[in-house]
Amino acid sequence: QVQLVESGGGLVQAGDSLRLSCGASGRTDTLYAVGWFRQAPGTERTFIAAITWSDTTTYYADSMKGRFTISRDNAKNTVYLQMNTLKPEDAAVYYCAAAKSNSDSYDYWGQGTQVTVSS
């Protein structure tokens, strides 16, 4: 089992930056990748970015390229999502998730962290 805990959400103003953290614990040696998703009220959960656990290769949704950067601190077993020039439409609950294999499904999910962007 793997446990994921997100942190770093909050209320920011449009144009601000925010860095979210996803701490992983447990059997992290079984992981293939960790990804970030977001879900705004009344919408489906959307993929933002992912990073492989072994060699830190990164993947981004086309619409997220440029303002969002995913990274990982090996020593802390933590994956970050740096978000720059935030817009009101970026407001959502942000989730991290971990996958055990190279597939489209994720096996473990965190509880989410709320990001609110005021205009």
Side-chain angles (χ1 to χ4, degrees), residues 36-105:
W36 282 98
F37 296 76
R38 70 183 185 185
Q39 186 170 22
T43 69
E44 293 186 352
R45 189 162 51 198
T46 304
F47 171 75
I48 300 171
I51 187 166
T52 57
W53 199 250
S54 60
D55 61 4
T56 65
T57 301
T58 57
Y59 305 88
Y60 293 90
D62 287 342
S63 61
M64 303 297 179
K65 292 178 181 177
R67 296 189 298 119
F68 292 78
T69 303
I70 191 170
S71 63
R72 179 192 162 198
D73 185 325
N74 290 358
K76 297 181 179 179
N77 276 349
T78 299
V79 174
Y80 302 100
L81 183 67
Q82 177 69 42
M83 306 185 294
N84 298 326
T85 319
L86 284 163
K87 305 174 182 180
E89 52 265 40
D90 293 317
V93 178
Y94 284 71
Y95 298 92
C96 69
K100 295 189 293 185
S101 63
N102 182 16
S103 70
D104 291 336
S105 65

Side-chain angles (χ1 to χ4, degrees), residues 19-36:
R19 190 179 76 164
L20 305 181
S21 300
C22 173
S25 60
R27 290 295 308 277
T28 58
D29 60 302
T30 65
L31 296 182
Y32 173 76
V34 172
W36 282 98

